[in-house]
Amino acid sequence: MSDRIRKVGMSDCGEKDVNYENFLRLLPDSEIIVLSKHNSDELENCDGLVLTGGVDVAPELYGEWPDETVKVDSERDGIEYKMIDAALKRDIPIVGICRGLQVLNVYFGGTLIIDLEKFHGRNHRAISDDEDRFHKVILISESKLKNYIKQEDGIVNSSHHQAADRIGSGLKVVARADDGTVEAIESSDGRSIVAVQWHPERLKADSPFSRGVLALFDYYLKDAVPKKVFGQKSISIQQ
């Protein structure tokens, strides 16, 4: 048992926040704080950051033009960029889920495929609002994520139409779908960063692709010694 409660900040994604909160509450000795523009400065007191799913990252951030398939929230992009800035400055763990993977990749200088179906003939969208698509994923290299999932491959859920293309600096691909789509990335330079394209918070709790992600985050949290940045609120962007 830990001698203190760990605070985990997660980016606000609206009505689906509860799915992520329930998932993250499976972490022992943890308090979940939903971070938005109104309280983003609370990340200063958090031990880790989770970037949640949601709308598309603005294509302008990686040198593309939006088309009819793209739905963005530029304010959210700005908020999450500042959260990543702050998390890196304090050297706390970062986990990305779905959009969270994509925004991390773009932040580090990577690009996205605007629409998988339109440009590559791959359908990774949810079947409906209440039903995810499922497909095979293959862990393609030795990685921390593979060490915690403890499988070479398996079945994950899918609810996205974009995906990582060129991978950002300091990141590496550690899992792909059987059609080649990037399904997981993590740091290639020792940072406590991992991101998955699937939704572990909506998989069954006993799935290795859910519990493995949580177990790796738990390991990162235990290993982290967060830096305090005094005298400033560098991520407060209240309007």
Side-chain angles (χ1 to χ4, degrees):
M1 182 73 75
S2 171
D3 60 357
R4 73 178 185 91
I5 298 297
R6 301 175 300 184
K7 293 185 177 182
V8 176
M10 54 164 272
S11 59
D12 183 9
C13 65
E15 63 182 16
K16 293 186 178 180
D17 279 347
V18 64
N19 294 334
Y20 296 94
E21 291 179 84
N22 289 339
F23 173 63
L24 294 170
R25 285 194 184 105
L26 296 174
L27 287 165
D29 308 311
S30 296
E31 174 188 352
I32 314 306
I33 300 172
V34 180
L35 300 169
S36 69
K37 68 178 182 180
H38 302 295
N39 68 335
S40 59
D41 57 336
E42 289 189 40
L43 185 57
E44 179 68 24
N45 299 312
C46 290
D47 301 285
L49 171 65
V50 176
L51 298 166
T52 57
V55 296
D56 303 321
V57 179
E60 293 87 348
L61 291 175
Y62 52 94
E64 293 287 349
W65 293 99
D67 65 12
E68 73 283 355
T69 68
V70 175
K71 296 179 180 179
V72 303
D73 181 345
S74 294
E75 182 179 52
R76 181 175 175 183
D77 292 337
I79 292 167
E80 291 187 348
Y81 260 46
K82 288 180 179 292
M83 288 180 183
I84 297 169
D85 280 342
L88 293 174
K89 184 180 293 184
R90 295 187 55 235
D91 199 25
I92 61 174
I94 304 174
V95 171
I97 296 174
C98 197
R99 169 196 157 88
L101 179 152
Q102 295 169 13
V103 75
L104 273 170
N105 190 53
V106 173
Y107 176 94
F108 283 103
T111 62
L112 303 180
I113 299 168
I114 288 282
D115 187 79
L116 281 166
E117 193 167 15
K118 180 176 179 179
F119 292 102
H120 293 277
R122 308 172 192 170
N123 186 357
H124 284 238
R125 294 180 183 272
I127 294 171
S128 70
D129 289 342
D130 302 314
E131 184 179 1
D132 289 337
R133 193 172 299 276
F134 284 82
H135 61 76
K136 184 176 180 179
V137 66
I138 303 162
L139 293 155
I140 62 172
S141 65
E142 290 304 316
S143 64
K144 287 185 171 66
L145 183 62
K146 186 175 182 180
N147 290 342
Y148 280 85
I149 289 178
K150 299 179 180 178
Q151 291 189 189
E152 298 285 337
D153 55 52
I155 302 299
V156 298
N157 54 350
S158 179
S159 179
H160 63 102
H161 77 105
Q162 297 191 333
D165 191 8
R166 187 182 72 242
I167 303 304
S169 176
L171 302 173
K172 63 178 180 179
V173 178
V174 296
R176 291 186 184 271
D178 51 2
D179 63 9
T181 301
V182 173
E183 287 288 330
I185 57 176
E186 64 180 46
S187 173
S188 62
D189 58 10
R191 294 181 184 270
S192 297
I193 297 173
V194 64
V196 297
Q197 189 61 66
W198 64 85
H199 282 271
E201 83 286 359
R202 298 207 296 258
L203 289 172
K204 292 181 178 179
D206 62 354
S207 165
F209 292 88
S210 179
R211 68 171 187 258
V213 173
L214 201 66
L216 176 54
F217 190 31
D218 185 44
Y219 164 76
Y220 279 151
L221 288 168
K222 289 175 180 175
D223 194 52
V225 181
K227 299 172 184 174
K228 287 291 183 181
V229 182
F230 295 105
Q232 59 179 306
K233 291 186 177 180
S234 60
I235 61 167
S236 181
I237 51 175
Q238 298 178 18
Q239 295 179 352

